[in-house]
Amino acid sequence: MDVFAMEKGKALKLSVDEFEKQTCHEYPYYRTKKDKRLSLYAICPECGNPIQIINMYGEEMMQNITHKITLYGKHTGRAVEGFSYWNEAEMKNCSLYKPSPLGNTEIRTKTKESEEIKEIIGKNWGRIKQDIRSIVGVNIPNSVMEHMREVFMESHAYSYKAVNKYNIPYAMLRYQETISIYHIFLFNSPMSEIVKEKINNNSKYFKIFDKEIKRKVSGGYNLGIYLTKYQKKEHKQYIHVVVYEIGDYGKESRNIILEEKIEMKSWIYT
């Protein structure tokens, strides 16, 4: 996980600076083991159980495949001295313990968590819309966003085990029909540059003119975007953004313009 907490329910983004600011290098967050090596701990913002912080300062667990050092937190799976709370059942039911694949539609049994997600969406809808636009790099209109929200809520997707309060923007995009992006402007985010490059280089029917997606030929062509292929590797989660165009002959004329694997990050809403 890329979040931690000092108090259950209050998530913080995991970084060296934020962790040091919150803990002041004090016990029980910092402690030295018998072998004199430093161990770092905090609590899981969702279930309140202790978590260990890995790779804060060194190469504790270098990734086997990429050989990159990734900072992350993981559940300890046991009680830890200095932390008063430990509940194995809560840990195993925690969405941050072993995330369900985003795409799974299994319903969770804990209705309290589902109601909390509904409340977060209601209170933070303006921010969530901007975060969705940032993910796809396209300035999806408010009218389309409202339709997306309605589909998500009426489908009770907030009750899926795979949906938690840290992946709401990805979930709202994943559990959705294709979004038409023809005649829409790019949104200023790193993804917009990728969208622009791929459309200009790979599209038969569309081009970016002054940040607007326009047809470069006449005809009933359309451009769609969706999320697919959730993956979890080396303590990170990924999902693919797909942009495709379609011509007059339906599926036979479908052309994939972009398929970009992006790393999923935790979105923190209060």
Side-chain angles (χ1 to χ4, degrees):
M1 68 183 77
D2 59 356
V3 289
F4 75 104
M6 308 294 286
E7 182 181 344
K8 182 180 178 180
K10 296 184 178 181
L12 298 162
K13 191 68 178 176
L14 180 58
S15 69
V16 175
D17 289 345
E18 187 65 29
F19 190 81
E20 291 180 333
K21 174 185 173 183
Q22 295 293 330
T23 64
C24 297
H25 287 242
E26 293 180 342
Y27 179 87
Y29 312 104
Y30 283 69
R31 78 263 308 276
T32 304
K33 297 187 293 186
K34 290 181 180 180
D35 61 3
K36 305 302 181 183
R37 296 181 66 183
L38 184 68
S39 290
L40 309 178
Y41 296 89
I43 66 171
C44 172
E46 183 170 327
C47 69
N49 282 296
I51 61 172
Q52 185 173 6
I53 308 303
I54 306 297
N55 295 332
M56 178 68 77
Y57 301 118
E59 302 179 9
E60 298 169 64
M61 292 185 68
M62 184 178 287
Q63 308 307 313
N64 294 330
I65 297 175
T66 63
H67 298 289
K68 292 181 180 179
I69 301 168
T70 302
L71 172 63
Y72 64 95
K74 68 172 185 176
H75 289 84
T76 60
R78 58 178 174 80
V80 175
E81 181 183 337
F83 294 90
S84 59
Y85 187 76
W86 160 245
N87 186 302
E88 185 176 9
E90 285 290 319
M91 180 192 72
K92 289 184 176 179
N93 285 321
C94 178
S95 65
L96 297 175
Y97 175 55
K98 290 183 179 179
S100 295
L102 192 58
N104 183 8
T105 58
E106 183 182 357
I107 302 294
R108 71 166 60 87
T109 56
K110 295 173 65 176
T111 57
K112 181 180 178 181
E113 187 176 345
S114 299
E115 291 301 313
E116 184 180 10
I117 292 169
K118 285 173 62 177
E119 184 179 344
I120 287 172
I121 293 171
K123 288 171 59 179
N124 297 276
W125 181 230
R127 280 185 57 200
I128 292 169
K129 288 192 292 185
Q130 293 298 85
D131 293 337
I132 288 173
R133 289 166 175 145
S134 175
I135 289 167
V136 297
V138 177
N139 195 14
I140 302 171
N142 279 325
S143 58
V144 177
M145 287 285 196
E146 292 304 325
H147 175 71
M148 289 173 58
R149 180 183 182 183
E150 184 177 1
V151 169
F152 186 83
M153 301 304 286
E154 293 300 319
S155 301
H156 300 284
Y158 54 83
S159 297
Y160 298 158
K161 281 187 175 181
V163 180
N164 60 57
K165 58 186 178 181
Y166 306 107
N167 67 7
I168 290 171
Y170 302 110
M172 295 192 82
L173 284 163
R174 182 71 196 271
Y175 298 107
Q176 201 68 233
E177 59 200 298
T178 293
I179 302 165
S180 175
I181 59 172
Y182 163 60
H183 215 24
I184 292 177
F185 286 85
L186 298 180
F187 185 84
N188 187 23
S189 73
M191 190 63 189
S192 66
E193 291 301 314
I194 297 172
V195 171
K196 179 180 179 180
E197 176 191 356
K198 296 295 185 180
I199 289 178
N200 284 341
N201 291 339
N202 300 337
S203 175
K204 300 175 184 177
Y205 314 119
F206 297 90
K207 196 170 183 66
I208 307 297
F209 294 95
D210 295 327
K211 294 188 176 182
E212 185 178 4
I213 302 170
K214 291 186 176 182
R215 291 194 186 109
K216 59 184 179 182
V217 295
S218 59
Y221 306 108
N222 199 9
L223 198 63
I225 192 167
Y226 64 90
L227 263 58
T228 188
K229 294 182 183 177
Y230 168 88
Q231 297 170 295
K232 186 176 185 295
K233 293 182 179 179
E234 301 288 354
H235 307 286
K236 290 189 176 184
Q237 298 179 78
Y238 301 91
I239 201 157
H240 290 230
V241 178
V242 176
V243 175
Y244 72 94
E245 61 187 356
I246 193 165
D248 294 329
Y249 301 103
K251 291 182 179 180
E252 294 179 5
S253 59
R254 182 178 295 163
N255 175 39
I256 301 295
I257 294 171
L258 175 158
E259 183 168 346
E260 186 77 12
K261 184 173 80 170
I262 60 172
E263 182 182 343
M264 296 170 62
K265 68 173 218 177
S266 293
W267 302 90
I268 300 174
Y269 306 106
T270 57

